[in-house]
Structure formats: C-alpha cells, structure tokens
Amino acid sequence: TLYLTWYRCVLFLTHKGYAVYDTKIKSIKYRPNPVLSLPPSVPSDVDLLVCKHQGPSCCTRKMEESYQAAVRRETLQSVRSYSFELKYLISGHATAFQDSLVKQARGHLSSLLEDTYSPLSREALPHVNALFSSLSLYIRGHNLSLEAAVARFHDNLFPLVYGRLVNPGVGVQGGLSGERGECLRATRQDVNPFGPHPETLAQELGRTLGAGRALSLALAEGAEVMNATEHVSFTKECLRGLTKMQYCSHCRGLTLIKPCVGYCLNVMRGCLASVAELDGPWRRYVAALEELTNAVAGQHSLELALLGVRGHVNEAILHAQLHGPTLTATVSRSTHSLWFTFSYKLSLSLSLSLSLSLSLSLSVSLSFYGGC
C-alpha cells in the first residue's frame, strides 16, 4: 500500500541517519513490523511538483496529491470552525437582547395586569403581545413607528380600563369589542385618559431602543460577513504553500518538525489575501460594537427601558382611575358628539341614496313613457 511504502522508506532513512521517525505518534495506529525488511534504496523526488528538496525522498506524485487534498480539507475545516464559533457568539448576543429581554418585559407587564387589574387582564393580553411584538420587530430593524405602536396599545387598552375599572358594568352594555368599544378607541387621544404617560413611554423607548436597533443591525451585518468567509477558496499557490508547510517534511521522514510561527503567518496571509482587506474594516466594526454595547448598557439601558413598560402602564391606569368622574363626563360628551356626527353622516348618506334612487326611477319612467 501507499502508506506501507512510505513507512518502509522512513525506516530506511532512520536507519541511515537521515531522519528521526516519530514512532510515538505513528505506533498508535500502525505498529512497526519487526520482520519488515528495509528497502535497498530510496526513490528521488524527480517526479514531484511541490515537495522537492535535495537528497532522498519518501514521497511519490500520488502521495503529494493526497497531501494537497488533505491540507485543503483541514484548512477549510479550521476556517469554518473559527467562523462558526464567532458567528455563534454574535448570534447568541443578538438573541439575548432581541428575544430574552422582550420576553421578560412582556411577562413583567402581564403579571401586573393579572395581579393588580384582573378584571381586564384576559382581554388585554392580546394587546400586550401585539405591543411587544412590535418592539421586537423594531429592534430587529423592521420599518415601523414606535409612537404608533404605543398609541395603538393605549387605544385598545382604554375601553377595557373604562368599562372594567372606571365604570364597571357600563362597558358590558353593547360589548367592549363592538361599536361602543370602537367609539372609545376613537376618542382616546382626545379624551386623554392616561395623562402624559403614553407619550413619556414612547419617548423613552425611542431613545433606548434606537441604540438596541443599531446594535441588532450591526450584529446581523457581522454574521453576514462571517458567512462570506466560510466560502473562501484557495488558489493553487496557496495549496502548494500549505502542503510545503504541513507535509513536505514527511517526505524526508521528519515527522516531528513543526513550522515556525512566522512561516505559518506568511503562508496564511497569502492564502487569505482575498479577505485580508477586511482586517481594517473589521477592527473598526468591533470598535463600533463596543460603543453600541456601552450605549445599550449605559444610562439608557435597554433592559431597564423594556422592564419599565410595566411602570408606565401602571401609572397610566392609575391616572385614569384617579380622574374617573372627570373622565366619565368627558367621555359622555365626546361619545355623544361622536354618535351625533356619525348619525348625521349616516342619515345624510341615506338621504342622498334615496334621492338618487328616486331620480333614477323618475328618469327611467319618463324615458319609457316618452318612447310610447
């Protein structure tokens, strides 16, 4: 076999004093045969293309090709291993604040509603989930408005607070999800039942989640760069250099010799020249990540801001309860005005439709009789 020929050659070189065979490593898988006869001579390297050197050689052209295939496979595996490790680290950090923090904050608010405002907790749960889904999408880089998401949450919360807490039983008549609920949602921003708390929450989230959004986009960009490095290709010159560095010493029986650090760096620089230009931008990218991380963990902490949603919602509900009588009177006036406007528009629309119908009927009749 190919290996047996190489093994006998190394025994010969060792016997002649050309090399020192690494019996400790090779004997793990291949046990030396004591009756194996030494070859009378060693072939030269006249047919070799890479591992050429002065003196005898234990390699053949076929072995040289096998070495090149092996070094290509091993180097790609090493590059992909380091890339996967770094990509896993990047994605792990992204998941930590994209999913874990949002999930924790959502549970924090849900527990407040269940423990303190149980009459509305079940109906409010879908709106809580919708709010934090919007916050998660915003952090991931989706194009949506935080102000609109916060306003929509409080619009949907107002009928529940009004009908279950401020005026229990009133909201049941007609159903909070029906026309009365829609009427209350439409008047929320005019009535302002929650005071300044919705706007304060939107502003605080805007300041803090902006840094988190930038960090999320930066981490996603880093993961894409790592995907590109996984598909690096090696030139013929690179494979020749790697083969010389890793395996050509074996052709002389020198299995214990390891290449020096400087030699390794020079060879790898040549192999990775196509991605070497990423070194400067990558260092600047890492520095920018450090700044963004400090911003997220600084005075506008992402974690504290998300967990603070509970406090802002609680203050908003307390504000509505505290101003219950005034709120009831304001809602009565606003809803009466809204219903009057709606009824007027509806009656006007019906009148116009009836007039058009009569006009059309008259026109058809006149045409018919005129034809006779």
Side-chain angles (χ1 to χ4, degrees), residues 357-372:
S357 177
L358 291 174
S359 299
L360 182 61
S361 299
L362 181 61
S363 175
V364 171
S365 299
L366 291 174
S367 299
F368 177 76
Y369 286 110
C372 296

Side-chain angles (χ1 to χ4, degrees), residues 143-166:
N143 186 22
L144 55 85
S145 170
L146 285 178
E147 292 78 6
V150 173
R152 185 165 53 251
F153 169 74
H154 286 90
D155 288 345
N156 292 322
L157 184 64
F158 176 45
L160 301 177
V161 171
Y162 184 80
R164 302 289 186 242
L165 300 178
V166 176

Side-chain angles (χ1 to χ4, degrees), residues 36-264:
L36 185 66
S37 60
L38 299 179
S41 63
V42 178
S44 64
D45 62 351
V46 292
D47 294 330
L48 302 181
L49 298 177
V50 180
C51 298
K52 300 178 70 67
H53 58 268
Q54 294 181 351
S57 175
C58 292
C59 291
T60 62
R61 181 76 172 273
K62 187 176 181 180
M63 291 179 66
E64 193 178 56
E65 293 173 354
S66 299
Y67 282 152
Q68 291 191 67
V71 78
R72 181 182 184 278
R73 182 175 60 252
E74 292 167 0
T75 306
L76 277 176
Q77 183 177 357
S78 298
V79 171
R80 288 170 180 170
S81 176
Y82 284 114
S83 298
F84 176 80
E85 183 179 352
L86 184 54
K87 187 168 64 174
Y88 179 80
L89 181 65
I90 291 174
S91 62
H93 283 296
T95 303
F97 76 90
Q98 287 177 350
D99 297 332
S100 302
L101 291 179
V102 173
K103 183 178 180 180
Q104 183 182 3
R106 180 171 57 227
H108 208 46
L109 178 56
S110 298
S111 65
L112 167 72
L113 299 178
E114 292 173 2
D115 298 339
T116 309
Y117 306 107
S118 56
L120 58 77
S121 61
R122 182 178 60 82
E123 295 173 281
L125 184 59
H127 306 307
V128 172
N129 292 336
L131 172 64
F132 283 98
S133 294
S134 297
L135 297 183
S136 179
L137 290 174
Y138 179 82
I139 293 174
R140 293 176 182 274
H142 288 252
N143 186 22
L144 55 85
S145 170
L146 285 178
E147 292 78 6
V150 173
R152 185 165 53 251
F153 169 74
H154 286 90
D155 288 345
N156 292 322
L157 184 64
F158 176 45
L160 301 177
V161 171
Y162 184 80
R164 302 289 186 242
L165 300 178
V166 176
N167 289 300
V170 175
V172 177
Q173 301 174 3
L176 289 175
S177 60
E179 294 178 350
R180 185 171 181 82
E182 290 298 329
C183 184
L184 290 172
R185 290 186 187 90
T187 60
R188 198 274 304 177
Q189 297 190 28
D190 295 329
V191 173
N192 192 26
F194 300 125
H197 302 292
E199 289 74 17
T200 303
L201 174 60
Q203 291 172 5
E204 183 172 330
L205 290 176
R207 287 194 302 268
T208 309
L209 267 62
R213 176 187 174 93
L215 179 59
S216 177
L217 293 173
L219 291 173
E221 192 69 23
E224 288 299 320
V225 173
M226 298 313 302
N227 287 334
T229 60
E230 286 185 359
H231 303 288
V232 62
S233 58
F234 298 131
T235 63
K236 291 182 179 181
E237 291 75 13
C238 167
L239 292 177
R240 289 169 63 92
L242 289 172
T243 304
K244 286 182 179 180
M245 181 179 69
Q246 291 285 93
Y247 290 112
C248 280
S249 59
H250 293 192
C251 297
R252 304 174 65 182
L254 303 174
T255 58
L256 289 175
I257 294 180
K258 302 294 181 182
C260 64
V261 176
Y263 184 25
C264 289

Side-chain angles (χ1 to χ4, degrees), residues 201 204-205 208-209 300-309 312:
L201 174 60
E204 183 172 330
L205 290 176
T208 309
L209 267 62
H300 300 305
S301 170
L302 179 65
E303 181 178 5
L304 293 178
L306 288 173
L307 294 177
V309 173
H312 286 289

